Amino acid sequence: MELTLPASPVRLPPGVAVRVPVALRNPGTAPRSVRITVARGRASGWAQGDPPSVTLGPGATATVDVVLRAPPEQPPIASLVPFTVQAEDTAGGGAAGFATGLLTVAVSVPVTGDLVPRPGAAQTFDLLLGNDGDRTVDVRFSVALDPPGGAAEVRPEAARLAAGASLPVVLHARPARPLVGAPRPYALIVSVHHDGGEDPRPLLTAVGAGTRRPLVSNRAAGAAAVLLALGATAAIAISGVRLPLPGRHLNERPPGVAGSAPVGRPFVQVDSFPHRGADGGRAAADARLARLAEAGMPVRVVDSLASDQLADDGTGFWVLLHDGFASADAARAFCTQWRAVAPKCKVTP
């Protein structure tokens, strides 16, 4: 029995049945009945003959199909894999003939596209989606932001993409906006899925990058700090309040503090500076505070001598901290978020 398979490799999308025609010819002088199977190998469990058997007279020809269906969870195979179709005598079970072909397992639909920022439109991206396959596919989109926070939307949310066609998709990102500091980078991630398909893997994943400006720039924050300092100096001059000289009364509570400075638990301690030196250590604490503020980290300075929640070792510390968390887990998440700029961050539950 002579068998002939198509010369071009067979492309199998996961979970999709593909028919491969097999041409048969009986060169003998007697009728022959054969059963069509795929020989032992990776594709043998994916295949069945349709019809499973056929009878050919002397010199007759016929065409049957071998139906191949890769499992939906089968990962793509970049290389070509050989498979062998064989004809077996239905009476004795012996091999009557065979032919070998090639197959590959690819993604369900070859969808292409790049995500690019739209010029002149902040936080807006365009995706021109193309279908390089030979069949129409229904697709749906999912979007995410990295780092998480804020929102993102895609229009349309689902569509039908014809074979060889293209589709414009518009995405809008609204990442969480920092209060102060430098512009913060973010990534917008869009995944294209086969709507209703059995394969959970995306047909395409594209990433776009952008930056989010803070509500208050570093320059504006610095100007506001100067104005506040000038206002405080003017208020002190008008009121006649006298400030202690740097380094004096380090073991006393600061003037004007009644009882203690409130610190809510749980809180995180970012850094501390002892009361020593000509300025009582405050300049070093303020310098560190300014660097953290520039990075966008919300912290404040508390004198340990003015708080019942902070250890002071007798002489006191300027403590950089953040409090008001709903739980200790929230405080730990804060430290994890800012570990790169505040490696000493620790939680006090």
Side-chain angles (χ1 to χ4, degrees), residues 287-301:
R288 177 66 169 147
L289 177 66
R291 289 195 297 271
L292 294 175
E294 184 175 355
M297 185 176 187
V299 294
R300 63 189 179 103
V301 177

Side-chain angles (χ1 to χ4, degrees), residues 124-151:
T124 300
F125 296 79
D126 291 305
L127 173 67
L128 184 60
L129 199 64
N131 179 1
D132 291 345
D134 56 3
R135 60 192 177 94
T136 299
V137 61
D138 292 323
V139 295
R140 56 183 172 82
F141 307 97
S142 61
V143 288
L145 289 170
D146 184 25

Side-chain angles (χ1 to χ4, degrees), residues 6-180:
S8 58
V10 179
R11 179 179 171 276
L12 295 182
V16 178
V18 175
R19 291 181 172 269
V20 180
V22 182
L24 303 176
R25 178 178 176 271
N26 180 8
T29 58
R32 202 164 189 182
S33 179
V34 293
R35 180 171 50 251
I36 304 301
T37 64
V38 173
R40 185 182 307 172
R42 179 176 295 186
S44 62
W46 303 348
Q48 64 180 17
D50 185 20
S53 62
V54 64
T55 300
L56 281 78
T61 61
T63 299
V64 300
D65 286 340
V66 170
V67 182
L68 294 170
R69 184 187 182 100
E73 65 276 7
Q74 173 65 39
I77 302 175
S79 59
L80 295 175
V81 177
F83 69 100
T84 299
V85 177
Q86 63 184 10
E88 299 176 347
D89 278 319
T90 56
F98 65 90
T100 299
L102 296 172
L103 64 81
T104 182
V105 179
V107 295
S108 300
V109 179
V111 172
T112 61
D114 292 319
L115 191 62
V116 295
R118 179 179 294 183
Q123 280 76 59
T124 300
F125 296 79
D126 291 305
L127 173 67
L128 184 60
L129 199 64
N131 179 1
D132 291 345
D134 56 3
R135 60 192 177 94
T136 299
V137 61
D138 292 323
V139 295
R140 56 183 172 82
F141 307 97
S142 61
V143 288
L145 289 170
D146 184 25
E153 63 179 13
V154 56
R155 291 290 182 272
E157 297 180 350
R160 172 161 291 182
L161 188 59
S166 60
L167 172 72
V169 181
V170 181
L171 298 99
H172 297 283
R174 290 190 293 274
R177 194 170 187 181
L179 177 62
V180 68

